[in-house]
């Protein structure tokens, strides 16, 4: 067994987890407010191509990240309009957002299909710390967005469970009628956190484009990560700290087929290994569709249910 291969695979797992953490956090904030957004995959794709075009035109990574994040917030705003303001079926609205986002990304990206971006996000330099056996490449071989995503997850946990706005957010997802009786606007809270969630998802898609892909390929840029992020929220029990470990685990399963191939381990079919994250995603989505199972998993009690004031 080649230890270097497994060290690199573990380091790549942490890197891949960046998009999963940010996208799952975006979904978590949205769902904690009571809004179910299944359109994460479409948002990721639109953010990815937006960041690519902005970075390619300007030569600035930071502008690319900003434009991609704002594109994510814009698409989430469409979902908020449909789900919160117009009270459309949230599952249908989310699936429509996937189709719209995928089509928009395909349209914007067609002229640059296969083109590489000249400015990409590089890992930070920690000098000799990176050379520490096993730990160095994994802990000190990441870029600033990867470290920031972990910091955001930690701060999100403190915000949700140690602050009054976090309490209001959780209450909105569990019992919006009580929040309304306290003089707070349920619609305003849901719209605000849906937009914020879209911003985080957009940042995840932008990082994926500018740090991992560096070339636009509509068919393989996100590769279903948006759906995995939705499953990750369920497996984490809607708790940000658990997302970190779950994202790294999912990242490892995504990386594992390539690692086994490099080790020339063939008794485990690579197709089976590639299928595992998506099988877990399917199980999580089935669980989300059943209210009884959803409650047992710790989901917000009013998740996916529009709030109508006269029905209190």
């Amino acid at each position: 067994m080649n230890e270097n291969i497994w060290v690199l695979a573990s380091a790549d797992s942490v890197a891949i987890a960046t998009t999963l953490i940010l996208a799952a956090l975006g979904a978590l904030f949205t769902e904690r407010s009571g809004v179910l957004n299944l359109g994460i995959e479409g948002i990721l794709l639109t953010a990815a191509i937006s960041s690519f075009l902005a970075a390619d035109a300007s030569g600035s990574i930071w502008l690319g990240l900003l434009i991609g994040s704002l594109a994510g917030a814009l698409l989430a705003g469409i979902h908020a309009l449909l789900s919160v303001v117009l009270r459309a079926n949230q599952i249908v609205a989310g699936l429509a957002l996937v189709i719209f986002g995928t089509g928009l990304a395909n349209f914007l990206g067609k002229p640059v299909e296969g083109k590489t971006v000249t400015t990409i996000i590089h890992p930070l330099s920690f000098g000799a710390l990176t050379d520490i056996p096993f730990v160095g490449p994994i802990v000190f071989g990441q870029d600033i967005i990867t470290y920031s995503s972990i910091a955001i997850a930690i701060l999100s946990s403190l915000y949700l469970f140690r602050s009054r706005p976090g309490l209001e957010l959780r209450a909105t997802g569990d019992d919006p009628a009580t929040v309304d009786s306290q003089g707070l606007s349920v619609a305003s809270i849901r719209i605000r956190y849906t937009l914020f969630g879209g911003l985080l998802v957009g940042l995840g898609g932008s990082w994926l484009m500018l740090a991992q892909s560096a070339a636009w390929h509509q068919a393989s840029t996100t590769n279903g990560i948006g759906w995995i992020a939705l499953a990750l929220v369920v497996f984490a029990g809607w708790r940000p700290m658990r997302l970190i470990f779950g994202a790294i685990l999912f990242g490892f399963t995504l990386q594992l087929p390539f690692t086994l191939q490099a080790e020339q381990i063939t008794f485990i079919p690579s197709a089976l290994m590639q299928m595992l994250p998506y099988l877990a995603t399917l199980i999580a989505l089935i669980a989300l569709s059943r209210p009884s199972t959803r409650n047992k998993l710790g989901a917000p009690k009013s998740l996916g249910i529009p709030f109508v004031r006269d029905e209190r």
Side-chain angles (χ1 to χ4, degrees), residues 1-18 134-139 141-142 212 247-263 265:
M1 182 178 293
N2 192 326
E3 291 185 4
N4 290 331
I5 291 177
W6 289 96
V7 170
L8 290 175
S10 300
D12 287 343
S13 301
V14 176
I16 293 170
T18 304
F134 189 76
V135 176
I138 298 173
V139 177
Q142 310 300 332
Q212 288 283 299
I248 294 173
L249 179 61
F250 269 85
F252 187 77
T253 61
L254 289 170
Q255 184 66 23
L256 189 57
F258 304 103
T259 306
L260 294 177
Q261 185 177 9
E263 285 277 34
I265 298 175

Side-chain angles (χ1 to χ4, degrees), residues 164-189:
R164 182 174 180 80
L167 174 62
E168 293 172 353
L169 169 60
R170 289 185 287 121
T172 303
D174 285 329
D175 191 358
T178 300
V179 173
D180 180 66
S181 68
Q182 297 299 312
L184 298 172
S185 172
V186 173
S188 175
I189 292 173

Side-chain angles (χ1 to χ4, degrees), residues 220-285:
S220 60
T221 295
T222 58
N223 204 25
I225 285 180
W227 298 108
I228 295 176
L230 286 170
L232 180 56
V233 176
V234 179
F235 289 122
W238 287 264
R239 292 180 175 270
M241 290 299 293
R242 296 178 186 173
L243 284 180
I244 299 174
F245 304 103
I248 294 173
L249 179 61
F250 269 85
F252 187 77
T253 61
L254 289 170
Q255 184 66 23
L256 189 57
F258 304 103
T259 306
L260 294 177
Q261 185 177 9
E263 285 277 34
Q264 296 183 343
I265 298 175
T266 58
F267 68 89
I268 302 176
S270 61
L272 176 63
M273 300 306 301
Q274 291 173 347
M275 181 184 70
L276 290 179
Y278 304 101
L279 178 61
T281 301
L282 180 62
I283 294 171
L285 292 176

Side-chain angles (χ1 to χ4, degrees), residues 201-222:
V201 176
L203 177 60
S206 302
W207 177 89
L208 181 66
M209 183 74 259
L210 300 177
Q212 288 283 299
S213 300
W216 172 251
H217 296 285
Q218 191 270 336
S220 60
T221 295
T222 58

